[in-house]
Structure formats: C-alpha cells, structure tokens
Amino acid sequence: MTTVPAFEEYEPATDCGCAGCALQRRAAAARTLPPRLGGHPAAHGARRALVLATAAGVVLSAGAAEAVAPAGRTAGPVRAEDVSGPGPTTPQGQAGPLRDGGAQAPPPANAPLLLRATTRDEIISRAKTWVAAKVPYDMEKYWSDGYRQDCSGYVSMAWDLGGNEWTGSLSSYGTRIARTRLEPGDILLFHNPADPNEGSHVTIFGGWTNSAHTQYMAYEQTPPATRKKTTPLAYWSNSDMYVAYRYKGLTGGSAGSSPTGFPGAAAFGPGARNAHVTRLGSLLVARGGKRFYTEGPGPAWSEADRRATRAFQQAQGWKGAHADGLPGPDTWRRLVNGTGRNIPAAGSGGSSSVVPPFPGRGYFRPGQSNAHVERLGRQLVEKGYDRHYVSGPGRRWTEADRRNVEAFQRAQGWRGGVADGYPGPDTWRRLFS
C-alpha cells in the first residue's frame, strides 16, 4: 500500500513537475498563507489548511511532488526575495495581552491607550536585553517577560506596552515624525494593509551610523533571532513604505535634552555651534582632556574638541574610523555615564600628541616615490580612509593616495581647492594628531 503524503496548501507557480519547482511552490506557500495566530485581528483563529495529494497526482519515481492548485486561486511566479534576503520572512502575530491571549477578548475599540512613562535610554536598554539573549524569532511563542517573539512583540516590549501589539496597531501608540527627526527609541514601521503578512515589519532606531544619515543601527526581531545591525534607511526592502513614529509616553523630552541621550552627529563637527559642544568639552575635560584646551570649552566646535574626543576614543581601544574625533552614540554614552577609560596623561603610554614634521608638498605629487608617501598611506589606513587602495599603500604616489587624502580632507569639512587630495601642513597635522 502506498503512503499518501500530505502537503501544506500552496499555489503552483507553473505546471512544471520537477523537484526544484515543487520546492519553490511550497516555499511560496509558506510565505502567503495566513499565520496560525493571524496577521490581522479579522484573521484570528485561521488555521493553515492541509490538502492530501492523491497517488495519481504525485510523481514519486523522479523524486518530485506535484499537487493540483485549489480551485479559484491564481498561480503566481516565485520571486527570489520571497525565498531569501535580509528582510523579514515570517508573518506577524495579532494584537493581544501579554503571554498567550487564549480566549481573552481584546479591549474595546474605544478603550483609552495605556501609556507607561519611559525614557529613550530605558527603551534601548530593554531592546538590548533581547539582543544579548538572542531571543529566537517565533510568532507563536512568548518570551519569559510575556511578550510575543516577533517584531511587533519586540517593540511592544521595548516601549513597555501593556500588551502585545501588531504592525497594524503600533502606530496608535506613537506620533508620526519626519525621518530627519529620528532619535534612539523611535521606530520605523511598515504595515501593509492590503496583505499584512506580506512585508509588514518594524525596527527600533538605535542612532545614526554615518554622518550622511543614510544608515542607522536597527534593533529588530527577525529570523533567526533578535539582532542589532547597521541598516540602510529605512530598510533593506520596501524602504519608501516605512514611517517613523515616536512613543507618546516618552519622558525627558528629546534626546538632546535628555541627561544621557545622544543629540545626533549633526550637533558636532566643523561649523557646529551649540550647547552640546560645550557639554562635550566639559565632559572631556573631566575625563582627562584638559590639556587639549587652551581656553574653553565653548559652544563653537574647535580642533581642541576633535583632538580631545579622538584621545578619549583611542583610550577605549578604538582605531581607524572609530576614533575619528567626532562623537557618536557610544562615545557620548560613555562620557555621560562616566564609563569606559579616561584619557591618559601625556607621556603615560597613551596615544602620543607629537606630530611628525611635515616634509613638504613636493613629496606628494605624481611620479614621486619616497618614504613620506608610504607613511602618509599607512596613517590613512589607520584613520580608516583607505577605501581607494587596491593594494598597498606603498612608496610611489598614486591616484589612490590622492583620493584617500581627498576623502579625509572632506571629512574635515573642507571643500574646493582645500580638498584637492594633496596634503598640506594642516592635512598632515590633523592626520597624525
């Protein structure tokens, strides 16, 4: 007697009966079927249907399985992004109380929202607990804190909501903001009302990771487990569909006025003038950076601020682009919280402030080959400005050297002929300080 195999319901993309096509059709089915707990409140209680393939409809001799598409369903092609990719691949659970909601009825539609007061630091701190625990993604299970182990359950936990929300209800707990106003603890939400199980996702904004504000640190719950990852704004896919929200129960004002909240990369650097720069300088002086200031600290960003910040970053063991003298969220947090290593005293074995003498512009021109070119190149690598090197650096001056120097000069805020890629005394001093 032949055993009749059972398959989850799926839509065949073609009439091909090969094993590869059958596998793709089943992968597509796993993407399109409603979740057992329902991706939308209206779908609560839906179950995945099973269909039995008859012996006549299954080709076993070639190792392939083929089933007849259910009546009234339209076949569609299997897209590569439906099978793999950096984005979420699992539907989201519905709104409900903490832990398994069971038969408990949801609150009335007109019930007031429960907004527990919280701060940005508390939101990020809670988000980090799941990252550290590597909580597995599962829309049907609940972590020990009672929150569902999918992306919306993760945000519900980080925002300290009274229940497990879903991508269709989280927005009611937040205020829509422009992406340019994003600060740690805000969220980026994509809800697909036409098909909530297709692409809907939400991430927690952890701070900008580049000065152009095109990448950010995303905290998210996605297969296989909670992760913290540098992510393009707003996400790997459906980027233009994500909307930024700020939790309505947030206390302590914006991140800039919060005692420990990072005010953003735009608050620092050439041309910046604000109270955050003054505070940065004061914090650096308290951590051993007094020797870098001849006067101040003050509200106008200066070379003293950059050098003191870089010394603090190097004291943490950071190198290259991570010690560029411009404060980021981690630098700011350690300064404000009093954590990390202090800036070592001059001559105590820490980073030296002695800058080698500038050899002269003539050493850095096409056709030149000398030790100064190689030294310059190695320092560019140390600072993290080496993306144009295919090999080297070496003794001969190349276009790669010039383009890397230009990138460093532009990072100082210089433009035009001041950022031509040929080092002068100021470029040399900043590069080696």
Side-chain angles (χ1 to χ4, degrees):
M1 178 178 179
T2 303
T3 302
V4 180
F7 296 93
E8 286 190 345
E9 184 179 43
Y10 67 93
E11 297 175 9
T14 67
D15 292 331
C16 178
C18 73
C21 289
L23 181 60
Q24 283 189 327
R25 289 196 294 271
R26 295 189 65 189
R31 295 270 303 147
T32 57
L33 286 174
R36 280 167 48 184
L37 286 183
H40 188 284
H44 181 59
R47 295 292 185 269
R48 294 181 181 233
L50 295 180
V51 294
L52 295 178
T54 64
V58 180
V59 181
L60 299 177
S61 59
E66 181 178 3
V68 179
R73 303 283 295 274
T74 304
V78 177
R79 301 171 299 173
E81 59 266 32
D82 287 339
V83 179
S84 62
T89 58
T90 306
Q92 309 304 312
Q94 79 292 339
L98 293 184
R99 305 190 185 280
D100 188 350
Q104 181 175 343
N110 58 353
L113 296 178
L114 174 61
L115 297 174
R116 297 170 175 169
T118 191
T119 66
R120 294 189 181 280
D121 288 339
E122 289 170 341
I123 292 173
I124 297 300
S125 178
R126 284 190 290 265
K128 288 180 177 179
T129 61
W130 277 30
V131 174
K134 294 182 172 57
V135 176
Y137 185 99
D138 194 320
M139 59 162 294
E140 299 180 9
K141 292 183 179 180
Y142 298 80
W143 195 237
S144 57
D145 52 19
Y147 290 95
R148 192 178 57 244
Q149 295 169 213
D150 61 15
C151 70
S152 46
Y154 180 49
V155 171
S156 299
M157 179 276 299
W159 275 10
D160 196 25
L161 303 184
N164 284 288
E165 299 302 320
W166 71 301
T167 55
S169 62
L170 279 172
S171 61
S172 61
Y173 290 85
T175 300
R176 184 168 179 169
I177 60 172
R179 292 184 182 181
T180 55
R181 295 181 56 206
L182 278 165
E183 297 181 50
D186 298 335
I187 64 171
L188 285 158
L189 171 67
F190 168 41
H191 175 63
N192 182 3
D195 185 355
N197 298 330
E198 181 63 34
S200 296
H201 191 51
V202 61
T203 69
I204 300 172
F205 181 84
W208 301 109
T209 57
N210 66 350
S211 58
H213 289 189
T214 58
Q215 297 178 346
Y216 70 103
M217 185 61 66
Y219 292 86
E220 61 175 327
Q221 180 70 352
T222 187
T226 320
R227 72 181 182 184
K228 172 186 176 185
K229 184 178 179 66
T230 296
T231 302
L233 189 67
Y235 203 68
W236 306 94
S237 57
N238 300 310
S239 180
D240 59 334
M241 304 300 292
Y242 280 76
V243 179
Y245 289 95
R246 178 164 297 160
Y247 178 52
K248 290 179 179 179
L250 193 67
T251 61
S254 67
S257 61
S258 173
T260 59
F262 179 57
F268 307 102
R273 186 183 183 89
N274 53 68
H276 304 302
V277 176
T278 304
R279 188 182 184 198
L280 172 74
S282 299
L283 292 168
L284 289 165
V285 168
R287 300 299 296 274
K290 184 177 180 179
R291 71 176 183 273
F292 294 98
Y293 294 90
T294 56
E295 60 180 53
W301 178 265
S302 67
E303 176 65 8
D305 294 307
R306 189 194 70 81
R307 293 181 64 191
T309 301
R310 180 168 180 255
F312 179 77
Q313 292 168 332
Q314 289 178 326
Q316 313 313 306
W318 303 339
K319 297 180 179 180
H322 299 290
D324 59 0
L326 295 172
D330 287 340
T331 300
W332 184 262
R333 175 178 54 80
R334 295 190 185 200
L335 284 170
V336 172
N337 292 338
T339 57
R341 301 184 182 91
N342 289 337
I343 299 171
S348 63
S351 60
S352 172
S353 60
V354 178
V355 177
F358 177 60
R361 299 177 187 272
Y363 287 96
F364 309 102
R365 289 292 184 269
Q368 291 294 315
S369 179
N370 53 74
H372 301 301
V373 172
E374 185 174 11
R375 185 177 194 178
L376 173 79
R378 294 191 181 282
Q379 188 66 8
L380 286 166
V381 172
E382 172 68 20
K383 283 295 199 75
Y385 295 91
D386 58 348
R387 65 185 301 262
H388 296 290
Y389 285 128
V390 178
S391 61
R395 293 173 59 90
R396 181 172 296 279
W397 178 263
T398 66
E399 177 63 10
D401 294 303
R402 190 197 69 78
R403 294 180 69 183
N404 285 329
V405 171
E406 180 185 7
F408 175 77
Q409 291 169 331
R410 288 185 174 275
Q412 314 311 303
W414 303 339
R415 296 293 183 269
V418 186
D420 59 1
Y422 295 100
D426 285 343
T427 299
W428 185 267
R429 176 175 54 82
R430 291 199 179 194
L431 188 59
F432 283 91
S433 64

